Amino acid sequence: RLISADNNGPSACNGTSSSVTGFVYVNEDNTGTFDQNNVGLPRVNVTLSGYDTSGNFVKETVVTASDGSYTFKNLPAGTYQLTEYIPNGYMASTDNVGTVNGSTDGTFSACDQAIEQIVLTGCNDGINYDLGVIGNCVSKGDTATIGFWQNKNGQAIINNLNGGSSATNLGNWLATTLPNLFGASATNTADNLAGMTNAQVASFYKNTLFKTDKNLSQIFTTAVSVYVTDSLLNNTTSGQNLATKYGFHVDLPGSGAATYDIGGNGGLFGVSNNSTTTLFQLLVAADAQAAQGSLSQSVYSVFDAINNKGDV
């Protein structure tokens, strides 16, 4: 019979329950070790399956959090396997067997991979079961240049997101994700997009931002590209079809998880030089820097390079 691991609430050790935690991450250096220099991947399916000591089949699937972490809680004693279903644009890399036990299996394809023979005896809290992938770099179809979003094609995409021109999802997402640039803490109150409809966001960009601030336009358009290519955010058929028509790759996790080597600009984003980070992380880092004062021209140049590299 099939029983599901209970992932509601903290794991209580009563002699018969255990937990397994780890990260799904971009393993660019192929070391198999997840650390602060690696990028966690959100919204990746990870499945734990196997048999408890009574012979019951246990299977549970979770989705990684925004930092790439996942947790299986309240697991009965038994023998299990972790399987990661690798998102489009990535390939299997080195996995890390965590603190309890287990082994990696080299027979899995680039589409999925596993850590096997995890034997839990009760009250095991296994950590660092990290599943690595080799990430894709920013490529054609991930972004668009600032000129695209002010022309009729880009404007049409914005106006068709989430059901039509009156939807406020995009404006609210921009205001929440980048509050210091396009939310309540923006230096210019006119840049606060909270509550704005798609029609208002499109007009704001075309008639205000694009005409008056080409630098900030670079960050804005990278953020819009991240939104448009994420099928959870751009979640209607009309919006997805139109984005695809004009050359975007719409999938999970979208171009927000696409990686970019920032070379000697690490200090601008609070990371080491030559770090490979995701577009989403770069956006959040730029927003954090904006709270400290004006952004440097070099920050805008990074986003300009990204938009040109991924241009549809």
Side-chain angles (χ1 to χ4, degrees), residues 4 59 85 98 124 129:
S4 295
K59 183 177 182 180
Y85 297 94
N124 299 122
Y129 283 85

Side-chain angles (χ1 to χ4, degrees), residues 3 5 16 19 30 40 85 96 103 107 134 196 213 224 247 268 274:
I3 62 174
T16 59
S19 65
N30 204 32
Y85 297 94
N96 182 65
S103 62
T107 64
I134 298 175
M196 284 195 179
D213 194 339
V224 172
L268 301 175
N274 303 310

Side-chain angles (χ1 to χ4, degrees), residues 43-55:
R43 295 190 295 276
V44 176
N45 289 330
V46 179
T47 296
L48 180 141
S49 60
Y51 291 87
D52 68 16
T53 53
S54 298

